[in-house]
Amino acid sequence: MDRNPHGPSRRDVLRGALAAGAAVTLAGCGSQADAPHSVTVDQWRQFKGATLNFISENTAPTAAIAANTRPFTDLTGININIVTLELTALVQRVALDLASGHAQYQVIYADPYQVLAPYQRGLVDLRTMQADPNLPHLPGGVADFIPAQMDAAGRFVDPNAYYTLPYDAPTMIWQYRRDLFDKYHDRMANDLGFDPTPSGERTWDEYYRIAQWFNKNATSDVKYGTGHQARQHDSLMNDFSNVLWSYGGAYFDNGKEVGRIGSRDPGPCRLDSDAAIAGAEFYQKLLAIADPASTTWDWDGVGAAFRAGRLAMCPNWHEFAASNEQVMPGKAGYSPLPRGPVATANMYGGTGVAISDNTRPHERGAAWLFLVWATSPQTQLANLKSKAGGGTPTRTSVYELPEVRAAEKRPSPMPNMLTAAAVRQAWEPDKIGLRPKIPMWNECNTAIFTQLSRMLTGGSTPADAMRNIKARVDQIVARGWVA
């Protein structure tokens, strides 16, 4: 999921870093030979002279690594070529590569829904690498990764196997103009009858009323109280799902398990339930008072509008904090999303890095060295500090480092850490929002955001939209998936 914002922020920085720091012309593509291997007491140097190709979406950790691959090459003697693509193009390229029987890309950015679930059989079970006495082990082991992320990004169906290591962790939270909430706090509290300060204890109904208050009372400071990523796009499914789950709606039975571990046969879609329809009705009501441009925005669009001072608040991916702090330092605040009548949900969009099962034995070993290094605490800390992106750690131990803890307060040299208190709550098992991890999700997702878009533009009622989605998703699931 390409979550980089517009303007003088991460998209431009990432592009520059990738162009300057990464070789995008693959060396040795199509070669049938295995990687070189030598017997040495240094496990990190045994594949010296090898070349790896890493295919990734354009994300913050990849940009930071691409801007400075030298530490990995100095450590291992391995050259790493990094190719970045938009996610849809990446999925197509990976599918072709896995079907070819030969690994052009040894290391794969494996989106849980578009790569891991449909193509899990084409990825290496990384337990075999961690158990190999001839290879370096993960520092801190698998247990150092945040558990919900390890499951959501790394596992599929089998709760013991893991096919990726958590690599990035974008999560939707409540982003708001802290300066405006401070300025109008007392007036809002008096008019609304509750403390408007954003927190996970606020409700979606209160969020609606706060947005409405800004629309009516603060037009000299901000144009709209809220904005959303409600374009007919994956972003719309993400934005809506937070509300759906908070109302007790679910895409399938056992939704938490289907989201966390995954399923090849999730059963019938449950979007025709009363709870799901109630969530859709509220979402339609909320969007009716939001910035009208919301139906044209994905996450980039709403992020740019927030930074431009157009919105008092919005739900968006937490990693936009780096851009917020660059453009309007000190003015943004971050909180978990509001709760609904039944639950709290904060959509998780993280991804792991995997090894192609088409790799030859020494290639596989070299690829494991890259995975261990790229997800290590030292590299994640370096990524946090990088001017080429930032990213967010996926390891518990990194968040416990004193300098990382200190960065949670302004002025912060690691601006994404300003969201740490919010995302720590968002990643709790009962609060993390996990879309269904099923092989056919991409097609289901298209059905979902297409019908939601019709609902928002007056083409159907919430009840009809939910029933139409259910009917289409049931058809897709019944057809199954053959990879």
Side-chain angles (χ1 to χ4, degrees), residues 400-445:
E400 294 172 349
L401 295 172
E403 63 181 306
V404 175
R405 286 280 190 185
E408 294 183 20
K409 297 180 180 179
R410 292 182 174 90
S412 176
M414 310 172 196
N416 280 340
M417 289 307 301
L418 296 173
T419 68
V423 295
R424 267 196 292 269
Q425 294 180 57
W427 292 334
E428 292 174 5
D430 63 334
K431 295 183 176 67
I432 192 168
L434 299 172
R435 74 202 80 175
K437 189 163 53 175
I438 59 176
M440 61 292 290
W441 174 249
N442 197 33
E443 194 173 356
C444 293
N445 185 23

Side-chain angles (χ1 to χ4, degrees), residues 174-177 181 207 210-211 224-227 306 311-315:
W174 184 351
Q175 304 187 23
Y176 61 95
R177 285 287 300 277
F181 273 79
Y207 182 99
I210 292 168
Y224 295 99
T226 187
F306 180 69
L311 309 173
M313 57 186 185
C314 63

